[in-house]
Structure formats: C-alpha cells, structure tokens
Amino acid sequence: MDLYLRKVLHPQAVDNYRVLLKDDGLEVEVGSIGIQHGSGATEHWTWAIDTVIPMREVDAQGRGKDQKDCMRQFRAAWDKFSADSARLTEFLQTKRRRL
C-alpha cells in the first residue's frame, strides 16, 4: 500500500503535508504530517492518522524528530491499522462518503 505526501498550500502551513493513499484510482487523504507550534515559540514535528473511525489499540498520532521520522512512524502505525481488513474497509468507505 503506497502512501504519498502532498504539501498543504496555505500561508500559515509551512512544512505541513497531507498523507495520501491511492485506492482504486482515487487519492484518499488518510492523515497528516507537519510542524506544530507550541507554547513559548517551540516547534515540533507531529503525525496523525485521520480518526474517522475509532482507532482502538493503534496509536493514531505522535511526534517525530523531523519529516522523515514522522513518515516512518506514520507508516508503522498505518501498517498496523490497515492489517485489519475490516477496519481498513470501514475507514476507506467513511472517507469516500466525504468526497
């Protein structure tokens, strides 16, 4: 299952990306990776799988050192989540209804 990044085009979204999955010829947004701004002008990289269905035992979000580390963590969480074909089907059906 191939995942891709698409840069978010917004003046306030520097180094923010949507994670895309190609499914039956459609690009489906399944999550995000980007820099978040915290208190005291701190910045940190974060990743998150879109929680359109309950995520049960899988961690749906986290922090990383940089974009590459976030993509690695996202991929590991996504692989674990998508290994359950029933949950993956429910997730993709929910996403498609929103298109």
Side-chain angles (χ1 to χ4, degrees):
M1 202 174 290
D2 290 331
L3 298 175
Y4 304 91
L5 294 179
R6 176 178 290 145
K7 186 154 181 58
V8 174
L9 300 175
H10 189 278
Q12 295 174 328
V14 179
D15 288 324
N16 287 294
Y17 303 86
R18 291 297 293 158
V19 181
L20 305 170
L21 167 73
K22 285 207 177 181
D23 179 57
D24 291 334
L26 293 174
E27 289 182 342
V28 179
E29 293 184 359
V30 297
S32 61
I33 292 175
I35 293 179
Q36 297 293 314
H37 301 278
S39 62
T42 61
E43 293 181 341
H44 53 271
W45 281 88
T46 62
W47 63 270
I49 296 173
D50 292 348
T51 53
V52 295
I53 64 170
M55 298 301 282
R56 291 183 269 233
E57 78 278 357
V58 178
D59 291 331
Q61 60 187 353
R63 286 188 182 188
K65 296 179 289 188
D66 53 26
Q67 177 190 1
K68 186 176 179 178
D69 185 42
C70 282
M71 191 61 191
R72 181 189 58 76
Q73 291 182 52
F74 187 101
R75 182 71 207 207
W78 179 257
D79 286 347
K80 187 175 179 181
F81 171 77
S82 64
D84 181 332
S85 61
R87 282 193 298 166
L88 178 60
T89 298
E90 181 183 3
F91 179 93
L92 293 174
Q93 286 174 343
T94 302
K95 283 294 208 166
R96 284 188 198 113
R97 279 194 296 267
R98 293 179 174 192
L99 292 177

